[in-house]
């Protein structure tokens, strides 16, 4: 089971951001290499005015920019998702405790821990996710989650290679003029791009309404995290109650000490007053 510590969650967010950045950089790197190849093959002026350093930069820099920008955006999104998940866990703990108290009043005593765990799991199932048995998601589950999180990126990643293939296929037809090749590429490219947009759009709407896929291990981890939050809250309440009782005990002890000191002072003052009253009488009866 994955760790629940903030350090492990931070590492998880960083790794996912790195993977997303690498994917985005790879998607940009392919067209950059293709554009450089076409420019070197068809433009003698381009070959003459550039060297290998500038050509390498033309290929690498767009991919590096895409990597950095995508990784940063995904990291922000992942941290916000973790924060939302933590807030949901805290809200679920409060809701489960309140629901458990009401159920105990209506149905009698129940096993607290089992009942709360059932409530935590029910809240996860109803939070807009699809729980998949096992500890790993299948390839189709990961692809579905990726489409849900990055619909535009998926459309671009599929449309650009498709248009490039269409252009390459038309360029091999020597009987067509250049304008006809461009026209065929535009028509078939638009049709392919619109088809991809419609298909990905409908699939994204389906995933948005049904929720992303998570593994059984992830669901159990969230249940364990909710239990840990409840335990930490219970420990804090117990500690505050213990400190409050200790303060009240100290106040009561101090109050008793003050009362005891006042009574002792009153008793001492009374004894002193009696001794002063008895002094003249003793002086009068004493023999001269």
């Amino acid at each position: 089971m994955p760790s629940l510590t903030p350090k492990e969650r931070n590492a998880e967010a960083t790794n996912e951001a790195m993977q997303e950045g690498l994917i985005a950089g790879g998607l940009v790197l392919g067209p950059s290499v293709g554009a450089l190849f076409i420019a070197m093959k068809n433009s003698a002026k381009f070959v003459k005015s550039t060297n290998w350093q500038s050509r390498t930069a033309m290929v690498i820099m767009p991919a590096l920019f895409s990597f950095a920008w995508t990784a940063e955006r995904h990291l922000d999104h992942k941290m916000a998702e973790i924060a939302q998940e933590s807030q949901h866990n805290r809200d679920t703990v409060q809701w489960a405790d309140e629901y458990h108290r009401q159920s105990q009043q209506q149905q009698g005593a129940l096993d607290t821990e089992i009942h709360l765990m059932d409530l935590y799991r029910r809240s996860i199932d109803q939070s807009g996710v699809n729980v998949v048995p096992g500890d790993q998601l299948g390839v189709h589950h990961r692809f579905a989650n990726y489409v849900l999180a990055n619909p535009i990126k998926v459309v671009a990643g599929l449309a650009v290679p498709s248009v490039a293939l269409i252009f390459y296929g038309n360029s091999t037809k020597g009987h067509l003029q250049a304008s006809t090749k461009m026209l065929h590429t535009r028509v078939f490219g638009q049709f392919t791009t619109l088809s991809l947009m419609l298909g990905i759009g409908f699939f994204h709407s389906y995933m948005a309404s049904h929720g992303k896929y998570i593994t059984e291990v992830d669901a159990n981890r969230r249940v364990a995290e909710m239990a840990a939050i409840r335990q930490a809250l219970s420990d804090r309440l117990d500690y505050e109650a213990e400190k409050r009782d200790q303060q009240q005990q100290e106040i009561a002890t101090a109050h008793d000490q003050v009362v005891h000191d006042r009574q002792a002072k009153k008793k001492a003052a009374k004894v002193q007053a009696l001794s002063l009253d008895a002094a003249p009488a003793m002086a009068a009866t004493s023999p001269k």
Side-chain angles (χ1 to χ4, degrees):
M1 179 180 297
S3 175
L4 302 178
T5 61
K7 182 178 179 180
E8 293 294 333
R9 299 307 301 275
N10 186 28
E12 177 187 350
T14 304
N15 292 334
E16 289 192 10
M18 182 70 70
Q19 293 176 2
E20 292 294 327
L22 291 174
I23 293 174
L27 292 176
V28 174
L29 184 63
S32 299
V33 174
L36 178 64
F37 176 77
I38 293 174
M40 292 183 63
K41 187 176 180 181
N42 299 324
S43 177
K45 183 179 180 180
F46 175 82
V47 175
K48 187 176 181 179
S49 61
T50 58
N51 53 22
W52 284 106
Q53 290 83 356
S54 60
R55 297 166 193 164
T56 304
M58 291 179 185
V59 173
I60 294 179
M61 292 308 296
L64 287 178
F65 172 78
S66 178
F67 166 78
W69 186 76
T70 303
E72 182 68 21
R73 290 288 303 273
H74 185 79
L75 184 61
D76 292 339
H77 174 75
K78 184 63 178 180
M79 296 304 294
E81 180 181 344
I82 291 176
Q84 183 179 4
E85 180 180 316
S86 300
Q87 182 63 39
H88 173 264
N89 292 342
R90 289 191 292 268
D91 294 341
T92 300
V93 170
Q94 297 177 359
W95 166 79
D97 287 341
E98 182 64 25
Y99 185 85
H100 178 68
R101 284 194 294 268
Q102 295 178 359
S103 299
Q104 282 186 325
Q105 294 175 359
Q106 296 176 1
Q107 301 177 4
L110 296 174
D111 190 342
T112 303
E113 294 299 327
I114 296 178
H115 190 205
L116 289 176
M117 289 297 179
D118 292 339
L119 293 177
Y120 295 159
R121 183 54 188 266
R122 189 191 309 173
S123 69
I124 293 175
D125 294 338
Q126 296 175 356
S127 63
V129 296
N130 293 314
V131 180
V132 178
D135 58 348
Q136 289 185 350
L137 293 176
V139 177
H140 58 292
H141 294 141
R142 295 181 182 180
F143 178 76
N145 290 341
Y146 191 83
V147 172
L148 177 62
N150 308 281
I152 297 178
K153 190 182 299 183
V154 173
V155 172
L158 295 177
V160 171
S162 299
V163 175
L165 289 175
I166 293 173
F167 175 77
Y168 177 77
N170 289 324
S171 63
T172 58
K173 299 177 180 179
H175 63 285
L176 296 179
Q177 297 180 357
S179 59
T180 306
K181 295 177 182 179
M182 296 298 297
L183 179 61
H184 288 181
T185 301
R186 182 178 67 83
V187 172
F188 290 110
Q190 286 180 345
F191 174 77
T192 302
T193 303
L194 290 176
S195 300
L196 288 172
M197 290 179 62
L198 290 175
I200 297 299
F202 284 125
F203 186 74
H204 181 269
S205 300
Y206 170 81
M207 289 296 299
S209 61
H210 289 77
K212 69 175 186 178
Y213 293 100
I214 64 172
T215 62
E216 187 78 19
V217 173
D218 291 333
N220 293 334
R221 175 186 59 79
R222 292 183 60 179
V223 171
E225 185 175 355
M226 293 178 186
I229 292 174
R230 180 180 180 274
Q231 185 62 39
L233 179 61
S234 178
D235 293 341
R236 188 182 67 181
L237 293 177
D238 293 341
Y239 174 77
E240 292 177 354
E242 183 179 354
K243 292 292 291 185
R244 185 168 55 252
D245 294 340
Q246 184 179 357
Q247 291 177 355
Q248 292 178 354
Q249 185 177 1
E250 292 176 355
I251 293 173
T253 302
H255 178 267
D256 294 340
Q257 184 65 34
V258 170
V259 172
H260 181 268
D261 294 342
R262 288 181 179 178
Q263 291 178 352
K265 288 180 179 180
K266 288 181 180 181
K267 185 176 181 181
K270 186 176 181 180
V271 171
Q272 185 179 2
L274 292 175
S275 61
L276 292 176
D277 293 340
M282 293 178 61
T285 55
S286 62
K288 295 182 179 179

